[in-house]
Amino acid sequence: MKKNKGLLNNLFGFGIDLEEDEQIEKDEKINLTQMEEDTEIEIEEIKENKIETEIETKKNYTEEPYQNFLKEENEKETYKVEKQEKVEEKKERKIESYVDVTSYQNVVSRIKGFEDSKKIARYIKENKIVTLNLEELDTETAQRVIDFLSGAMSMKEASLVEISKCVYVSVPKNQRVLFEGQRNTEKFFREAGK
């Protein structure tokens, strides 16, 4: 057979060995198969990466609302604690505010909030001379306190006198008070007690 191959090769002038062609074809098939396997592996890796990315995205998508939920819950809890502290503070103020003043004729009160207005109105109702210090209040709250107490004073026919920018005195109808220093105020005090 080799002779025939050689004869054909010599006749046609080809320097080709058929066994060599078969080996090249086998090598090409092996290379093609290897390339297909490599391509399949790359495709699998791409799919795995895509799946991992989707899982991370879903994880982040589900964790973010959960984190927001936890944050909101924490804020709600903080608000509840702050609210409870304010309620306890108000209770303490109420306990402090129920002082028996029947043996006193003058009451000096430093008002810390509008809540103290009710206590002061009770003193006015009991015909006490009440000195109000409004230094700790903002202008709006101080005005609300004065407005509220003006109603209580009008019920008892008491007078309100401004001593300074943040200090006032409520004088009951039947009381007389002398304030030295300002003539107009002194006259007003004398008349307020009549």
Side-chain angles (χ1 to χ4, degrees), residues 8-118:
L8 287 173
N9 283 338
N10 286 335
L11 274 176
F12 296 107
F14 296 110
I16 298 175
D17 186 4
L18 292 179
E19 286 179 15
E20 207 175 285
D21 286 343
E22 289 174 5
Q23 186 61 36
I24 291 173
E25 279 183 36
K26 284 182 184 176
D27 288 344
E28 286 178 357
K29 284 183 183 178
I30 291 172
N31 285 340
L32 186 61
T33 306
Q34 186 66 35
M35 287 175 56
E36 288 174 353
E37 288 175 0
D38 289 346
T39 305
E40 287 177 15
I41 290 172
E42 288 177 6
I43 290 172
E44 287 299 317
E45 287 176 355
I46 290 171
K47 285 181 181 178
E48 288 175 6
N49 288 339
K50 186 177 179 181
I51 290 171
E52 287 176 7
T53 304
E54 287 176 0
I55 289 172
E56 285 182 29
T57 303
K58 286 180 182 178
K59 185 178 178 183
N60 290 339
Y61 181 74
T62 55
E63 282 182 3
E64 187 175 318
Y66 181 69
Q67 294 297 331
N68 288 339
F69 171 76
L70 289 178
K71 186 177 178 181
E72 288 174 6
E73 287 298 311
N74 189 19
E75 288 173 357
K76 287 178 184 177
E77 189 63 31
T78 303
Y79 175 75
K80 286 179 184 177
V81 169
E82 289 173 355
K83 188 175 180 180
Q84 183 64 29
E85 288 173 354
K86 286 181 181 179
V87 168
E88 289 174 7
E89 185 179 314
K90 284 182 181 180
K91 285 180 183 178
E92 288 175 10
R93 277 192 186 173
K94 285 182 181 180
I95 290 170
E96 291 174 3
S97 68
Y98 295 120
V99 177
D100 184 23
V101 293
T102 53
S103 61
Y104 300 99
Q105 290 190 359
N106 296 319
V107 178
V108 178
S109 181
R110 175 171 285 187
I111 299 177
K112 296 179 182 176
F114 184 76
E115 303 82 30
D116 294 338
S117 298
K118 186 175 180 181

